[in-house]
Amino acid sequence: MSSSGGVITPEASTVYLISEAHSYLKAAALRAVAQLGVADHLGDDPRPVEELAEATGTDADFLHRVIRLLATIDVFRQEEDGRISLTPLGQGLRTDSRYSARWGVVMSTMHTHWSSAFELGDGLRTGKAPFPALFGEQYFDYVAGNPEAAAEFHGGMGSFSGAARRLALDEYSFPEAGTVVDVGGGTGGFLRDILLENPGLRGVLFDQAHVLPGETPRDIASERWTEVAGDFFEEVPADGDLYVLSYITHDWSDEECVRILRNCRKAMAPGARIAVFDAVVEPGNEPDDAKLLDLVMMMLVSGRERTAAEFGRIFDQAGLRLARILPAQGPLSVVEAVAV
């Protein structure tokens, strides 16, 4: 429904708004089928819901009703004979799908996120993220100290960010040679993609010690990187030719971002660049994933999604200059900065 054309009656407005308020139920349904791996039991051929229920250890009637709702958003399809199939959009829920969305859905609907969203009104009154008051510590401290939350978070970020970063990679030209420093690079999925597509580069995977993958099976990409443990608020590895920050700046306040970016500025080799892979909030009233993600930041941490002008300001304060923004198909853009 749009108010840009036609007459919207009070009754229509009420029905529309209440329907929108029920949108969280679609998220709950997605979480349920992702947790239970329902999509993994659907191949090329439709299956009766009773078979799906038996395979997933669920109640057939309840499962049917959840799938019926998700069919309205083109995740599943209910055939005329009642059997269930997986749509092309729903394929991302399969665990074996490249950049599977399964754990990203689970992460996006973690109990911590639901609870913080419920208290968003309190956040509006205080100007502070609800999460710390609810859980007694900062979000990333909680994740680090809670194995179950850590598994959901890191597994989810791998899938949530993987597909978006894949789209953004197609828009950015990496140097032919030199060293890429992935600042806050987690378990190395993004750096691996960069190195696989740019064989002349070497990499540094930089993050806190408890996040780094450590002793894992090596592959052609990870043989060309070194792992460095540290805190990007203190310093980052020196002499990189390109510093990559993917899904990092949106986690932190402007002041905290300036500290991170200043440390990158100090460490940069002559002629080096910084590439921030993050959402950029666009002007206007059109649907924008960055505006959704911005509320997630508001609920959980001190950060925010930023406009181009807001990126320019934090770069200026860090001794950098905004060089260009490369929009990508998906929620991410590449925001490039150079030393002043």
Side-chain angles (χ1 to χ4, degrees):
M1 178 182 292
S2 171
S3 60
S4 59
V7 176
I8 305 299
T9 66
E11 306 91 85
S13 172
T14 296
V15 169
Y16 168 74
L17 294 172
I18 293 174
S19 177
E20 286 293 294
H22 280 121
S23 293
Y24 74 96
L25 295 171
K26 298 173 186 176
L30 279 171
R31 177 179 176 84
V33 298
Q35 282 182 307
L36 294 164
V38 172
D40 289 346
H41 298 278
L42 285 169
D44 295 331
D45 298 321
R47 296 185 68 181
V49 71
E50 292 79 11
E51 287 185 9
L52 276 179
E54 182 176 359
T56 56
T58 57
D59 179 87
D61 178 57
F62 271 42
L63 180 60
H64 168 254
R65 290 155 71 182
V66 166
I67 287 175
R68 183 172 61 187
L69 172 64
L70 292 176
T72 68
I73 58 172
D74 201 24
V75 174
F76 297 98
R77 181 184 300 111
Q78 187 169 9
E79 308 297 341
E80 290 185 4
D81 62 5
R83 292 182 301 162
I84 305 301
S85 58
L86 196 60
T87 67
L89 278 178
Q91 290 290 334
L93 281 176
R94 289 183 57 91
T95 307
D96 60 3
S97 172
R98 189 182 183 196
Y99 303 119
S100 169
R102 180 181 178 186
W103 299 116
V105 169
V106 171
M107 179 203 71
S108 299
T109 54
M110 290 167 62
H111 165 66
T112 50
H113 292 206
W114 286 109
S115 300
S116 300
F118 187 78
E119 298 296 340
L120 189 56
D122 187 59
L124 293 179
R125 286 188 291 270
T126 65
K128 297 180 180 179
F131 181 92
L134 284 172
F135 292 92
E137 54 188 327
Q138 298 299 316
Y139 181 75
F140 291 112
D141 293 333
Y142 177 89
V143 168
N146 186 308
E148 182 178 351
E152 288 195 355
F153 175 79
H154 293 298
M157 280 303 297
S159 67
F160 176 77
S161 60
R165 291 189 299 204
R166 171 64 270 164
L167 293 170
L169 277 177
D170 293 338
E171 303 299 325
Y172 191 69
S173 297
F174 286 83
E176 294 184 1
T179 299
V180 176
V181 182
D182 192 353
V183 179
T187 56
F190 189 41
L191 183 58
R192 178 175 287 106
D193 284 346
I194 293 171
L195 296 182
L196 285 174
E197 296 188 16
N198 299 276
L201 293 176
R202 299 193 65 83
V204 176
L205 181 63
F206 178 69
D207 213 318
Q208 297 182 70
H210 70 88
V211 177
L212 293 171
E215 295 298 323
T216 58
R218 308 296 286 178
D219 61 23
I220 190 171
S222 55
E223 290 292 347
R224 298 191 349 252
W225 82 44
T226 55
E227 294 180 12
V228 177
D231 181 349
F232 50 44
F233 287 116
E234 301 299 328
E235 61 179 356
V236 301
D239 299 322
D241 299 290
L242 177 66
Y243 286 79
V244 170
L245 294 88
S246 171
Y247 283 114
I248 298 298
T249 56
H250 75 167
D251 289 330
W252 306 100
S253 68
D254 286 358
E255 181 181 353
E256 290 165 323
C257 279
V258 169
R259 287 176 60 190
I260 298 167
L261 292 168
R262 277 179 181 159
N263 287 334
C264 293
R265 172 66 183 87
K266 291 175 187 176
M268 292 166 66
R273 295 175 287 166
I274 291 177
V276 172
F277 288 74
D278 233 327
V280 176
V281 179
E282 297 294 337
N285 300 314
E286 296 304 311
D288 185 353
D289 283 344
K291 295 171 184 176
L292 282 173
L293 293 173
D294 187 45
L295 259 66
V296 177
M297 300 303 108
M298 186 190 300
M299 288 159 21
L300 302 179
V301 293
S302 60
R304 63 190 304 133
E305 306 298 345
R306 293 178 171 84
T307 65
E310 288 167 339
F311 271 112
R313 284 197 289 271
I314 62 173
F315 286 148
D316 287 345
Q317 293 175 49
L320 299 161
R321 176 175 59 81
L322 174 61
R324 57 179 177 160
I325 296 177
L326 301 172
Q329 182 183 0
L332 292 184
S333 294
V334 188
V335 187
E336 187 181 68
V338 295
V340 174

